[in-house]
Amino acid sequence: GTSGPANNYWCDFMNASAQEYPTIAIGQLARSWAALVGTSTCGPTWLSVDPGGASTALSTLPLEYYAAGPKYLYARNTWTAASATSQMWQLGLESLGAGHAHYDAGTFQIWRKGAWTTKETTCYAESIAGFNDTGTVDCLNGLAHNVPVVGGSAMVSAGCTDGRGIVGRMETQSGYVFATSDLTKAYQNNVCDGSQPTRENANVVSVVRELYYFRGLDVTVVLDRMQNTISTTPTTFIS
């Protein structure tokens, strides 16, 4: 199948949802989504038994959604596709021990008016350009993502860290979205496997990331509060 929202798996899932829940909002929203994206990639099994039905406008949905499990926040300024800015803030990591993880706690991506303003690296086992144009880096590494960097390194071992990021505050209003996450434990490896000091960023005392999105200005602000073991240790972030 194709990638993106037109993928046949998405198409089948949304078409099936529209048929399963035709009288409530979730099914009617799924039908609106299918009408927007198109059903050309849907399997004939679903299309052949689709009786049609009512739809509900996507604009009835809220402008943000927080997935408390992985600690991902999705926010936008409008449901009008042509002019929308849409964001995903990854305020934590995937569940540890889930069998798949990237070194990307705190990363974010922004889609605006049909194009990426900044994109989260999506890959499996490829290499991309390295930090500060030096060599290459595996795409699983933190240096391949929009994350805080301390002493030239990001978090080191997503599979065995002391924690996933702690979302301390969050607020959504008509004019703005705000969230803060303490990412310190994602850079440390003292509890999970303290016998492997190379699996943590030894430069880190504290890393806290704050993100703001001002809808009226269509501006995103990223504020990193970092404390290092040595004050002269350089800090920056990837974008």
Side-chain angles (χ1 to χ4, degrees), residues 99-113:
H100 181 81
H102 289 175
Y103 311 82
D104 57 3
T107 192
F108 59 92
Q109 63 181 18
I110 304 172
W111 170 272
R112 182 175 186 270
K113 295 184 177 180

Side-chain angles (χ1 to χ4, degrees), residues 94-146:
E94 298 96 335
S95 297
L96 299 180
H100 181 81
H102 289 175
Y103 311 82
D104 57 3
T107 192
F108 59 92
Q109 63 181 18
I110 304 172
W111 170 272
R112 182 175 186 270
K113 295 184 177 180
W116 291 110
T117 299
T118 181
K119 186 179 186 298
E120 165 62 359
T121 302
T122 53
C123 59
Y124 190 72
E126 295 81 16
S127 294
I128 64 171
F131 178 67
N132 202 26
D133 291 329
T134 302
T136 61
V137 63
D138 188 285
C139 64
L140 297 178
N141 191 289
L143 296 177
H145 304 278
N146 294 339

Side-chain angles (χ1 to χ4, degrees), residues 2-42:
T2 59
S3 61
N7 182 282
N8 59 296
Y9 295 113
W10 284 109
C11 193
D12 287 350
F13 176 79
M14 297 300 271
N15 194 270
S17 298
Q19 294 180 46
E20 181 69 19
Y21 306 106
T23 62
I24 60 176
I26 190 67
Q28 295 174 5
L29 287 164
R31 191 165 293 281
S32 289
W33 184 95
L36 177 66
V37 174
T39 58
S40 61
T41 59
C42 280

